[in-house]
Coordinates of all heavy atoms in Angstrom, one line a residue:
M28 N 0.8 -1.2 0.0 CA 0.0 0.0 0.0 C 0.9 1.3 0.0 O 0.5 2.3 0.5 CB -0.9 0.0 1.2 CG -2.0 -1.0 1.2 SD -3.1 -0.8 -0.2 CE -4.3 -2.1 0.1
R29 N 2.1 1.2 -0.6 CA 2.9 2.3 -0.6 C 2.5 3.3 -1.7 O 2.8 4.5 -1.6 CB 4.4 2.0 -0.9 CG 5.0 1.2 0.3 CD 6.4 1.0 0.1 NE 7.0 0.4 1.3 CZ 8.3 0.1 1.4 NH1 9.1 0.4 0.5 NH2 8.7 -0.5 2.5
D30 N 1.7 2.8 -2.6 CA 1.2 3.8 -3.7 C 0.3 4.8 -3.1 O 0.2 5.9 -3.6 CB 0.5 3.0 -4.8 CG 1.4 2.1 -5.6 OD1 2.6 2.5 -5.6 OD2 1.0 1.2 -6.2
Q31 N -0.4 4.5 -2.1 CA -1.3 5.5 -1.4 C -0.5 6.6 -0.8 O -0.9 7.7 -0.8 CB -2.1 4.8 -0.4 CG -3.4 4.2 -1.0 CD -4.4 3.8 0.1 OE1 -4.0 3.6 1.2 NE2 -5.7 3.8 -0.2
E32 N 0.7 6.3 -0.3 CA 1.5 7.3 0.3 C 2.0 8.4 -0.7 O 2.0 9.6 -0.4 CB 2.7 6.7 1.0 CG 2.3 5.9 2.3 CD 3.5 5.4 3.0 OE1 4.6 5.9 2.7 OE2 3.3 4.5 3.8
T33 N 2.4 7.9 -1.9 CA 2.9 8.8 -2.9 C 1.7 9.6 -3.5 O 1.9 10.7 -3.9 CB 3.6 8.0 -4.0 OG1 2.8 7.0 -4.5 CG2 4.9 7.5 -3.4
S34 N 0.6 9.0 -3.6 CA -0.6 9.7 -4.2 C -1.0 10.8 -3.3 O -1.5 11.9 -3.7 CB -1.7 8.7 -4.5 OG -2.2 8.2 -3.3
A35 N -0.9 10.6 -2.0 CA -1.3 11.7 -1.1 C -0.3 12.8 -1.0 O 0.9 12.5 -1.1 CB -1.6 11.1 0.3
P36 N -0.7 14.0 -0.9 CA 0.3 15.1 -0.8 C 1.2 14.9 0.5 O 0.7 14.4 1.5 CB -0.6 16.4 -0.7 CG -1.9 15.9 -0.3 CD -2.0 14.5 -0.8
P37 N 2.5 15.3 0.3 CA 3.4 15.0 1.5 C 3.0 15.8 2.7 O 3.1 15.3 3.9 CB 4.8 15.5 1.0 CG 4.4 16.4 -0.2 CD 3.1 15.9 -0.8
T38 N 2.5 16.9 2.6 CA 2.0 17.7 3.7 C 0.5 17.8 3.6 O 0.0 18.6 2.7 CB 2.6 19.1 3.8 OG1 2.5 19.7 2.6 CG2 4.1 18.9 4.1
A39 N -0.2 17.1 4.4 CA -1.7 17.2 4.3 C -2.1 18.5 4.8 O -1.6 19.1 5.8 CB -2.3 16.1 5.2
P40 N -3.1 19.1 4.2 CA -3.6 20.4 4.6 C -4.3 20.3 6.0 O -5.3 19.6 6.2 CB -4.6 20.8 3.6 CG -5.0 19.6 2.9 CD -3.8 18.6 3.0
H41 N -3.7 21.0 7.0 CA -4.2 20.9 8.3 C -5.2 22.0 8.5 O -5.3 23.0 7.7 CB -3.1 21.1 9.3 CG -2.3 19.8 9.5 ND1 -1.1 19.6 8.8 CD2 -2.4 18.7 10.3 CE1 -0.6 18.5 9.1 NE2 -1.3 17.9 10.0
D42 N -5.9 21.9 9.5 CA -6.9 23.0 9.9 C -6.0 24.2 10.3 O -5.1 24.1 11.1 CB -7.7 22.5 11.1 CG -8.8 23.5 11.4 OD1 -8.7 24.7 11.0 OD2 -9.8 23.1 12.0
P43 N -6.2 25.3 9.7 CA -5.3 26.5 10.0 C -5.4 26.9 11.4 O -4.4 27.4 12.0 CB -5.9 27.6 9.1 CG -7.2 27.1 8.7 CD -7.2 25.6 8.7
R44 N -6.4 26.5 12.1 CA -6.5 26.9 13.6 C -5.5 26.1 14.4 O -5.0 26.5 15.4 CB -7.9 26.6 14.1 CG -8.9 27.6 13.6 CD -10.3 27.2 14.1 NE -10.7 26.0 13.4 CZ -11.9 25.5 13.6 NH1 -12.8 26.0 14.4 NH2 -12.3 24.4 12.9
E45 N -5.1 24.9 13.8 CA -4.1 24.1 14.6 C -2.7 24.7 14.5 O -1.9 24.5 15.3 CB -4.1 22.7 14.0 CG -5.4 21.9 14.3 CD -5.3 20.5 13.8 OE1 -4.2 20.0 13.4 OE2 -6.3 19.8 13.8
L46 N -2.5 25.4 13.4 CA -1.1 25.9 13.2 C -0.9 27.2 14.1 O 0.2 27.6 14.3 CB -0.9 26.3 11.7 CG -1.0 25.1 10.8 CD1 -0.9 25.6 9.3 CD2 0.0 24.1 11.1
R47 N -2.0 27.8 14.5 CA -1.8 29.0 15.3 C -1.6 28.7 16.8 O -2.2 27.8 17.3 CB -3.1 29.9 15.1 CG -3.3 30.4 13.7 CD -4.4 31.4 13.6 NE -4.2 32.6 14.5 CZ -5.0 33.6 14.6 NH1 -6.2 33.5 13.9 NH2 -4.8 34.6 15.3
D48 N -0.7 29.5 17.3 CA -0.5 29.4 18.8 C -1.8 29.9 19.5 O -2.3 30.9 19.1 CB 0.7 30.3 19.1 CG 1.1 30.0 20.6 OD1 0.2 29.7 21.4 OD2 2.3 30.1 20.8
P49 N -2.3 29.1 20.4 CA -3.5 29.5 21.1 C -3.3 30.9 21.8 O -4.3 31.6 22.0 CB -3.8 28.4 22.1 CG -2.5 27.6 22.1 CD -1.8 27.8 20.8
H50 N -2.1 31.2 22.1 CA -1.9 32.5 22.8 C -2.0 33.7 21.8 O -2.2 34.8 22.2 CB -0.5 32.5 23.4 CG -0.3 31.5 24.5 ND1 -1.0 31.7 25.7 CD2 0.4 30.4 24.6 CE1 -0.7 30.7 26.5 NE2 0.1 29.9 25.9
D51 N -1.9 33.4 20.5 CA -2.1 34.4 19.5 C -3.5 34.8 19.3 O -3.8 35.8 18.6 CB -1.4 34.0 18.2 CG 0.1 34.0 18.3 OD1 0.6 34.6 19.2 OD2 0.7 33.4 17.5
L52 N -4.4 34.0 19.8 CA -5.8 34.3 19.5 C -6.3 35.5 20.3 O -7.3 36.1 19.9 CB -6.7 33.0 19.9 CG -6.4 31.8 19.0 CD1 -7.2 30.6 19.5 CD2 -6.7 32.1 17.6
R53 N -5.7 35.8 21.4 CA -6.1 36.9 22.2 C -5.8 38.3 21.5 O -4.9 38.4 20.7 CB -5.5 36.9 23.6 CG -4.0 37.2 23.5 CD -3.3 37.1 24.8 NE -1.9 37.4 24.7 CZ -1.0 37.0 25.6 NH1 -1.4 36.5 26.7 NH2 0.3 37.3 25.5
D54 N -6.6 39.2 21.8 CA -6.5 40.5 21.2 C -5.2 41.2 21.7 O -5.0 41.3 22.9 CB -7.6 41.4 21.5 CG -7.7 42.7 20.7 OD1 -6.6 43.1 20.1 OD2 -8.7 43.3 20.6
P55 N -4.2 41.6 20.8 CA -3.0 42.1 21.3 C -3.2 43.5 22.0 O -2.3 43.9 22.7 CB -2.2 42.3 20.0 CG -3.2 42.3 18.9 CD -4.3 41.4 19.3
A56 N -4.3 44.1 21.7 CA -4.6 45.4 22.4 C -4.9 45.2 23.8 O -4.8 46.1 24.6 CB -5.7 46.1 21.7
V57 N -5.4 44.0 24.2 CA -5.7 43.8 25.6 C -4.5 43.3 26.4 O -3.8 42.4 26.0 CB -6.8 42.7 25.6 CG1 -7.2 42.4 27.1 CG2 -8.1 43.1 24.9
P58 N -4.2 44.0 27.4 CA -3.0 43.6 28.2 C -3.3 42.2 28.8 O -4.4 41.9 29.1 CB -2.9 44.7 29.3 CG -4.3 45.3 29.4 CD -4.9 45.2 28.0
P59 N -2.2 41.5 29.1 CA -2.4 40.1 29.6 C -2.9 40.1 31.0 O -3.6 39.2 31.4 CB -0.9 39.5 29.6 CG 0.0 40.7 29.5 CD -0.8 41.8 28.8
V60 N -2.6 41.2 31.8 CA -3.1 41.3 33.1 C -4.3 42.3 33.2 O -4.2 43.3 32.5 CB -2.0 41.7 34.1 CG1 -1.0 40.6 34.3 CG2 -1.4 43.0 33.7
P61 N -5.3 42.0 33.9 CA -6.4 43.0 34.0 C -6.0 44.3 34.6 O -5.1 44.3 35.5 CB -7.5 42.2 34.9 CG -6.7 41.3 35.7 CD -5.5 40.9 34.8
A62 N -6.6 45.3 34.1 CA -6.2 46.6 34.6 C -6.7 46.8 36.1 O -7.8 46.4 36.5 CB -6.9 47.7 33.8
V63 N -5.8 47.3 36.9 CA -6.1 47.5 38.3 C -6.4 48.9 38.5 O -5.9 49.8 37.9 CB -4.9 47.1 39.2 CG1 -4.7 45.6 39.1 CG2 -3.7 47.8 38.8
P64 N -7.3 49.2 39.5 CA -7.7 50.6 39.7 C -6.4 51.3 40.3 O -5.6 50.8 41.0 CB -8.7 50.5 40.8 CG -8.6 49.1 41.4 CD -8.0 48.3 40.3
P65 N -6.3 52.6 39.9 CA -5.1 53.4 40.3 C -5.1 53.6 41.8 O -6.1 54.1 42.4 CB -5.3 54.7 39.5 CG -6.7 54.8 39.2 CD -7.2 53.4 39.1
V66 N -4.0 53.1 42.4 CA -3.9 53.3 43.8 C -2.7 54.2 44.1 O -1.7 54.0 43.4 CB -3.7 51.9 44.6 CG1 -5.0 51.2 44.6 CG2 -2.6 51.1 43.9
P67 N -2.7 55.1 45.0 CA -1.6 55.9 45.3 C -0.4 55.1 45.8 O -0.6 54.2 46.6 CB -2.1 56.9 46.3 CG -3.3 56.2 47.0 CD -3.9 55.4 45.9
A68 N 0.8 55.5 45.3 CA 2.0 54.7 45.7 C 2.2 54.9 47.2 O 2.7 53.9 47.8 CB 3.2 55.2 44.9
V69 N 1.9 56.0 47.7 CA 2.1 56.3 49.1 C 0.8 56.4 49.8 O -0.1 57.1 49.3 CB 2.9 57.6 49.3 CG1 3.1 57.9 50.8 CG2 4.2 57.5 48.6
S70 N 0.6 55.6 50.8 CA -0.7 55.7 51.5 C -0.7 56.8 52.5 O 0.4 57.1 53.1 CB -0.9 54.4 52.2 OG 0.1 54.2 53.2
H71 N -1.8 57.5 52.6 CA -1.9 58.6 53.5 C -2.7 58.3 54.7 O -3.9 58.1 54.6 CB -2.5 59.8 52.7 CG -1.6 60.3 51.6 ND1 -0.5 61.1 51.8 CD2 -1.7 60.1 50.3 CE1 0.0 61.4 50.7 NE2 -0.6 60.8 49.7
L72 N -2.0 58.1 55.8 CA -2.7 57.8 57.0 C -2.4 58.9 58.0 O -1.5 58.9 58.8 CB -2.2 56.5 57.6 CG -3.0 55.2 57.2 CD1 -2.3 54.0 57.6 CD2 -4.4 55.3 57.7
A73 N -3.2 60.0 57.9 CA -3.0 61.2 58.7 C -3.6 61.0 60.0 O -4.6 60.4 60.2 CB -3.6 62.4 58.0
S74 N -2.9 61.6 61.0 CA -3.4 61.5 62.4 C -2.9 62.8 63.0 O -2.1 63.6 62.5 CB -2.9 60.3 63.1 OG -1.5 60.3 63.1
T75 N -3.4 63.1 64.2 CA -3.0 64.3 64.9 C -2.2 63.9 66.1 O -2.4 62.8 66.7 CB -4.2 65.1 65.3 OG1 -5.1 64.3 66.1 CG2 -5.0 65.5 64.0
F76 N -1.3 64.8 66.5 CA -0.6 64.6 67.8 C -0.4 65.9 68.4 O -0.5 67.0 67.8 CB 0.7 63.9 67.5 CG 1.7 64.7 66.7 CD1 2.8 65.3 67.4 CD2 1.6 64.9 65.4 CE1 3.7 66.1 66.8 CE2 2.6 65.7 64.7 CZ 3.6 66.3 65.4
E77 N -0.1 65.9 69.7 CA 0.1 67.1 70.5 C 1.5 67.4 70.6 O 2.4 66.6 70.8 CB -0.5 66.8 71.9 CG -1.9 66.2 71.8 CD -3.0 67.2 71.7 OE1 -2.9 68.3 72.3 OE2 -3.9 66.9 70.9
R78 N 1.8 68.7 70.5 CA 3.1 69.2 70.8 C 3.0 70.4 71.7 O 2.6 71.5 71.3 CB 3.9 69.6 69.6 CG 5.3 70.1 69.9 CD 6.0 70.6 68.6 NE 6.3 69.5 67.7 CZ 6.8 69.6 66.5 NH1 6.9 70.9 66.0 NH2 7.1 68.6 65.7
G79 N 3.2 70.2 73.0 CA 3.0 71.3 73.9 C 1.5 71.6 74.0 O 0.6 70.7 74.1
S80 N 1.2 72.9 73.7 CA -0.2 73.3 73.7 C -0.8 73.3 72.3 O -1.9 73.8 72.1 CB -0.4 74.7 74.4 OG 0.5 75.6 73.7
F81 N 0.0 72.8 71.4 CA -0.5 72.8 70.0 C -0.8 71.4 69.5 O -0.3 70.4 70.1 CB 0.6 73.4 69.1 CG 0.9 74.8 69.3 CD1 1.9 75.2 70.1 CD2 0.1 75.8 68.7 CE1 2.2 76.5 70.4 CE2 0.4 77.2 68.9 CZ 1.4 77.5 69.8
S82 N -1.6 71.4 68.5 CA -2.0 70.1 67.9 C -1.5 70.2 66.4 O -1.7 71.2 65.8 CB -3.5 69.9 67.9 OG -3.9 69.4 69.1
L83 N -0.9 69.1 66.0 CA -0.4 69.1 64.6 C -1.0 67.8 63.9 O -1.2 66.8 64.6 CB 1.1 69.0 64.6 CG 1.9 70.3 65.0 CD1 2.2 70.3 66.5 CD2 3.2 70.4 64.2
A84 N -1.1 68.0 62.6 CA -1.5 66.8 61.8 C -0.3 66.2 61.2 O 0.7 67.0 60.8 CB -2.5 67.3 60.7
R85 N -0.2 64.9 61.2 CA 0.9 64.2 60.6 C 0.4 63.1 59.8 O -0.6 62.5 60.1 CB 1.8 63.7 61.8 CG 3.1 63.1 61.3 CD 4.1 62.9 62.4 NE 3.4 62.2 63.5 CZ 4.0 61.9 64.7 NH1 5.2 62.3 64.9 NH2 3.3 61.3 65.6
C86 N 1.2 62.8 58.8 CA 0.8 61.8 57.8 C 1.9 60.7 57.7 O 3.0 61.0 57.9 CB 0.4 62.4 56.5 SG -0.2 61.1 55.3
S87 N 1.5 59.5 57.3 CA 2.4 58.4 57.2 C 3.3 58.7 56.0 O 4.4 58.1 55.9 CB 1.7 57.1 57.0 OG 0.8 57.2 55.8
C88 N 3.0 59.6 55.1 CA 3.8 59.9 53.9 C 4.9 60.9 54.3 O 5.8 61.2 53.4 CB 3.0 60.5 52.8 SG 2.4 62.2 53.0
G89 N 4.9 61.4 55.5 CA 6.0 62.3 55.9 C 5.5 63.7 56.0 O 6.2 64.6 56.5
W90 N 4.2 64.0 55.5 CA 3.7 65.3 55.6 C 3.3 65.6 57.0 O 2.8 64.7 57.8 CB 2.5 65.4 54.7 CG 1.7 66.7 54.8 CD1 1.9 67.8 54.1 CD2 0.6 66.9 55.6 NE1 1.0 68.7 54.5 CE2 0.1 68.2 55.4 CE3 -0.1 66.1 56.6 CZ2 -1.0 68.8 56.1 CZ3 -1.2 66.7 57.2 CH2 -1.6 68.0 57.0
S91 N 3.4 66.9 57.4 CA 2.9 67.3 58.7 C 2.3 68.7 58.5 O 2.9 69.5 57.8 CB 4.0 67.3 59.8 OG 5.0 68.3 59.4
G92 N 1.2 68.9 59.2 CA 0.5 70.2 59.1 C 1.1 71.2 60.0 O 2.0 70.9 60.8
P93 N 0.6 72.4 59.9 CA 1.0 73.5 60.8 C 0.5 73.3 62.2 O -0.5 72.6 62.4 CB 0.4 74.7 60.2 CG -0.8 74.3 59.4 CD -0.4 72.9 58.9
A94 N 1.2 73.9 63.1 CA 0.7 73.8 64.5 C -0.5 74.5 64.7 O -0.6 75.7 64.3 CB 1.8 74.3 65.5
R95 N -1.5 73.9 65.3 CA -2.8 74.5 65.6 C -3.1 74.6 67.1 O -2.7 73.7 67.8 CB -3.9 73.7 64.9 CG -3.7 73.5 63.4 CD -3.9 74.7 62.6 NE -4.1 74.5 61.2 CZ -4.3 75.4 60.3 NH1 -4.2 76.7 60.6 NH2 -4.5 75.1 59.0
R96 N -3.7 75.6 67.4 CA -4.1 75.7 68.8 C -5.3 74.8 69.1 O -5.6 74.4 70.2 CB -4.5 77.2 69.2 CG -3.3 78.0 69.3 CD -3.6 79.4 69.9 NE -2.5 80.2 70.1 CZ -1.7 80.1 71.2 NH1 -2.0 79.3 72.1 NH2 -0.7 80.9 71.3
S97 N -6.1 74.5 68.0 CA -7.3 73.7 68.2 C -7.0 72.3 67.6 O -6.4 72.2 66.5 CB -8.4 74.4 67.4 OG -9.5 73.5 67.3
R98 N -7.4 71.3 68.4 CA -7.2 70.0 67.9 C -8.1 69.7 66.7 O -7.8 68.9 65.8 CB -7.5 69.0 69.0 CG -7.0 67.6 68.7 CD -7.4 66.6 69.9 NE -6.7 67.1 71.1 CZ -7.0 66.6 72.3 NH1 -8.0 65.7 72.4 NH2 -6.4 67.0 73.4
D99 N -9.3 70.4 66.7 CA -10.2 70.2 65.5 C -9.5 70.7 64.3 O -9.7 70.1 63.2 CB -11.5 70.9 65.8 CG -12.4 70.1 66.7 OD1 -12.1 68.9 66.8 OD2 -13.4 70.6 67.2
R100 N -8.8 71.8 64.4 CA -8.1 72.4 63.3 C -7.1 71.4 62.7 O -7.0 71.2 61.5 CB -7.4 73.7 63.7 CG -8.3 74.9 63.5 CD -8.4 75.2 62.0 NE -9.1 76.5 61.8 CZ -8.6 77.7 61.9 NH1 -7.4 77.8 62.4 NH2 -9.3 78.8 61.6
A101 N -6.3 70.8 63.6 CA -5.3 69.8 63.1 C -6.0 68.6 62.5 O -5.5 68.1 61.5 CB -4.5 69.4 64.3
R102 N -7.1 68.3 63.1 CA -7.8 67.1 62.5 C -8.3 67.5 61.1 O -8.3 66.7 60.2 CB -9.0 66.8 63.4 CG -9.4 65.3 63.3 CD -10.4 64.9 64.4 NE -9.8 64.9 65.7 CZ -10.4 65.2 66.8 NH1 -11.7 65.5 66.8 NH2 -9.8 65.2 68.0
T103 N -8.8 68.8 60.9 CA -9.2 69.2 59.6 C -8.1 69.2 58.6 O -8.2 68.8 57.5 CB -9.8 70.6 59.7 OG1 -10.9 70.6 60.7 CG2 -10.4 71.1 58.4
D104 N -6.9 69.6 59.1 CA -5.7 69.6 58.2 C -5.4 68.2 57.8 O -5.1 67.9 56.6 CB -4.5 70.1 59.0 CG -4.6 71.6 59.2 OD1 -5.3 72.3 58.4 OD2 -3.9 72.2 60.1
A105 N -5.5 67.2 58.7 CA -5.2 65.8 58.3 C -6.3 65.3 57.4 O -5.9 64.7 56.4 CB -5.3 65.0 59.6
A106 N -7.5 65.7 57.6 CA -8.6 65.2 56.7 C -8.4 65.8 55.3 O -8.6 65.1 54.3 CB -9.9 65.6 57.3
S107 N -8.1 67.1 55.2 CA -8.0 67.8 53.9 C -6.7 67.2 53.2 O -6.7 67.1 52.0 CB -7.8 69.3 54.1 OG -6.6 69.6 54.8
H108 N -5.7 66.9 53.9 CA -4.5 66.3 53.3 C -4.8 64.9 52.7 O -4.5 64.6 51.6 CB -3.4 66.2 54.3 CG -2.2 65.4 53.8 ND1 -1.3 65.9 52.8 CD2 -1.8 64.1 54.0 CE1 -0.5 65.0 52.5 NE2 -0.7 63.9 53.2
Q109 N -5.6 64.2 53.4 CA -5.9 62.8 52.9 C -6.9 63.0 51.7 O -6.8 62.2 50.8 CB -6.6 62.0 54.0 CG -5.6 61.5 55.1 CD -6.3 60.6 56.0 OE1 -5.9 59.4 56.1 NE2 -7.2 61.1 56.8
G110 N -7.8 63.9 51.8 CA -8.7 64.1 50.7 C -8.1 64.7 49.5 O -8.7 64.6 48.4
A111 N -7.0 65.4 49.7 CA -6.4 66.1 48.5 C -5.8 65.1 47.5 O -5.7 65.4 46.4 CB -5.3 67.1 49.0
D112 N -5.5 64.0 48.0 CA -4.8 63.0 47.1 C -5.9 62.1 46.4 O -6.6 61.5 47.0 CB -3.8 62.2 47.9 CG -2.8 61.7 46.9 OD1 -1.9 62.5 46.6 OD2 -2.8 60.5 46.6
Ligands
ZN222 ZN1 0.1 62.0 53.2

């Protein structure tokens, strides 16, 4: 039955889908990893602390607010700093 081998084409036409890498089927415009929501590189955890008779706002990013005579003022500074980002 060797005559059948010569009569058949040496390279049988395959399904073109088999020749493609399955990874190529994805849209190249779509990044491989899902987009993550933008998160600030530095987290802002502001808090207030007392210095003498003053209250100051301080943040984990290194920011510190002005000295306030009112603790509420310092707390507002901390809140506005966190909200500004
Ligand atoms: Zn901060």
Side-chain angles (χ1 to χ4, degrees):
M28 290 299 184
R29 292 189 175 183
D30 288 340
Q31 272 194 334
E32 290 183 16
T33 53
S34 64
T38 54
H41 287 92
D42 190 334
R44 285 175 295 182
E45 290 182 14
L46 299 176
R47 294 186 62 179
D48 191 325
H50 293 291
D51 287 342
L52 295 177
R53 68 185 178 196
D54 192 338
V57 176
V60 290
V63 294
V66 288
V69 179
S70 62
H71 294 281
L72 269 172
S74 58
T75 59
F76 69 101
E77 313 274 320
R78 181 186 290 171
S80 57
F81 294 96
S82 281
L83 291 89
R85 185 169 50 187
C86 183
S87 59
C88 74
W90 173 89
S91 63
R95 302 290 197 183
R96 287 191 175 274
S97 167
R98 194 180 300 167
D99 279 345
R100 270 286 185 78
R102 206 170 292 151
T103 304
D104 288 339
S107 63
H108 170 72
Q109 286 187 115
D112 206 72

